[in-house]
Amino acid sequence: MLTRMRNPFRRSTTSPQDTAVAPENAPAAVPEPAREPAPEPPAGPTAPEPPAGSPGYHLLPSPRSVADLPGWEGLHRSYTDVVGYSHLGHVFLHDRREGTFGVLHPFRDAFKDYGRFDSLEHFDAMVLSDEGFDEFVLRRPHLDEVARRTGPLGPDQVYVPVPYPFLGGDESPDSYDRGDVWTFLRIVPQMFARQRAQEAEAESARDAPVDDGRSDSPGAPA
């Protein structure tokens, strides 16, 4: 719940030249000199190969304070750190006091708390890498199409739809641009605040009494 604000047939590697039969009068083949075996790599752990494709999110090498997210006051009460973000602008949050993790959904002006985890790696394995999270939050097919049309992200960049969906945008893949994630996370709450102010002003205007121009003072003609 969101709180308001996862070939049995191998192709032959031999060429036609490898399988051709030499004629009977062909000279005997001269054996190649023996080659020294290649040196074995030094013992020790090796770095794992990088996974194919992008995971759709970025984990920060070191946490940043939630104070870097002005305008999201509700987060300041519930979390202490920003630990990463998705390529579509969701923010991964951590509370050092309680050990809990959560995800901010900027365009919904809401966040979801996922409870306690032993570490960021545990949260990554259990939530961020989950197939359901990949489908419904990271929006994998949609994200792949956005990346294909818009190009790769640079450091501290996310894909941003123009206009924002709560301002009438449809989030179609060709409507995205690349933008700085921290600037994006400052602008969105400002736009929400402006929108709420405009809605409140419009509602107040509707509720205001209407002056029909008549005087209701005693003795005034009807």
Side-chain angles (χ1 to χ4, degrees):
M1 178 180 179
L2 288 173
T3 305
R4 296 301 301 176
M5 79 119 92
R6 185 171 117 78
N7 173 3
F9 301 101
R10 187 179 66 178
R11 182 178 180 181
S12 173
T13 59
T14 57
S15 65
Q17 289 81 4
D18 295 326
T19 57
V21 178
E24 294 182 358
N25 58 353
V30 178
E32 294 184 359
R35 298 179 180 177
E36 295 183 3
E40 295 184 1
T46 57
E49 294 184 1
S54 164
Y57 58 91
H58 173 69
L59 299 179
L60 300 179
S62 58
R64 292 180 62 149
S65 170
V66 291
D68 291 339
L69 303 178
W72 307 96
E73 282 77 9
L75 299 180
H76 299 178
R77 294 189 295 268
S78 302
Y79 301 98
T80 57
D81 301 316
V82 177
V83 293
Y85 52 85
S86 81
H87 291 172
L88 293 179
H90 308 88
V91 183
F92 310 145
L93 305 159
H94 176 233
D95 182 25
R96 293 193 305 268
R97 300 161 299 194
E98 300 292 336
T100 54
F101 287 82
V103 176
L104 168 67
H105 297 251
F107 290 144
R108 297 187 186 183
D109 194 19
F111 68 90
K112 180 175 180 177
D113 191 281
Y114 284 85
R116 294 185 178 184
F117 291 88
D118 297 335
S119 63
L120 175 57
E121 291 75 14
H122 190 199
F123 176 64
D124 183 10
M126 299 301 296
V127 176
L128 305 182
S129 300
D130 180 77
E131 292 182 357
F133 192 87
D134 185 83
E135 178 179 0
F136 295 109
V137 179
L138 304 180
R139 301 172 65 188
R140 171 61 59 188
H142 176 76
L143 173 60
D144 291 344
E145 181 63 16
V146 169
R148 187 185 70 81
R149 291 171 177 264
T150 311
L153 293 171
D156 286 342
Q157 283 191 332
V158 292
Y159 296 113
V160 180
V162 182
Y164 295 160
F166 61 89
L167 297 178
D170 60 7
E171 296 184 274
S172 58
D174 57 357
S175 72
Y176 281 77
D177 199 354
R178 290 168 288 184
D180 180 81
V181 61
W182 310 110
T183 302
F184 163 73
L185 292 171
R186 286 194 299 269
I187 292 176
V188 171
Q190 294 175 5
M191 301 301 292
F192 268 120
R194 182 181 303 177
Q195 185 183 55
R196 285 192 291 265
Q198 292 173 346
E199 292 172 350
E201 184 178 351
E203 185 174 351
S204 177
R206 287 195 301 268
D207 294 341
V210 178
D211 184 2
D212 58 6
R214 297 185 303 170
S215 174
D216 294 330
S217 60

